[in-house]
Amino acid sequence: GYKRVAWGKVLQCLSVQGLASSGSGGGLGNDGTASSGISRALLKERFKSFNLQFDELHQKQSQWTVPDVELRESLRLMVAEVLLPAYRSFLKRFGSMMEGGKNPQKY
């Protein structure tokens, strides 16, 4: 339904799928690759893509008019229940890798 169609691409940016991981840890090697086997460049791209897609979707959906108060609140809560935990989890797991780079506030 709505959740998958509207927010699927945004949530895909927060997926660990496609990020090569061979353990845990947050240290960076000389090549910019974390000890977990995930490159900082790939993570930057994921954060950048998330921000871009989120902004785009927010801009579109903020123009919608949902006259039914219950439906409007239901949609708002559903998005928060799906998006916030996924974002928090991704940020908690990989955010520290972005802190040492240039302009970490962008991500």
Side-chain angles (χ1 to χ4, degrees), residues 57-68:
L57 195 55
H58 177 264
Q59 192 173 22
K60 284 180 192 173
Q61 292 190 7
S62 63
Q63 295 173 16
W64 291 2
T65 302
V66 181
D68 184 300

Side-chain angles (χ1 to χ4, degrees), residues 12-79:
Q12 187 62 41
C13 297
L14 303 176
S15 170
V16 294
Q17 195 172 20
L19 295 175
S21 182
S22 58
S24 62
L28 292 176
N30 293 334
D31 61 354
T33 302
S35 58
S36 60
I38 299 169
S39 79
R40 182 184 285 178
L42 182 56
L43 282 174
K44 283 173 76 169
E45 191 55 43
R46 286 283 184 99
F47 277 108
K48 185 178 177 181
S49 182
F50 170 82
N51 289 333
L52 204 92
Q53 290 184 38
F54 178 85
D55 288 345
E56 209 173 276
L57 195 55
H58 177 264
Q59 192 173 22
K60 284 180 192 173
Q61 292 190 7
S62 63
Q63 295 173 16
W64 291 2
T65 302
V66 181
D68 184 300
V69 176
E70 282 186 42
L71 177 58
R72 184 173 56 241
E73 186 64 13
S74 173
L75 289 170
R76 189 186 68 74
L77 287 173
M78 187 273 310
V79 169

Side-chain angles (χ1 to χ4, degrees), residues 25-26 28 40 90-101:
L28 292 176
R40 182 184 285 178
F90 195 80
L91 191 61
K92 183 178 180 181
R93 189 167 183 179
F94 301 114
S96 63
M97 289 179 62
M98 304 309 298
E99 290 171 3

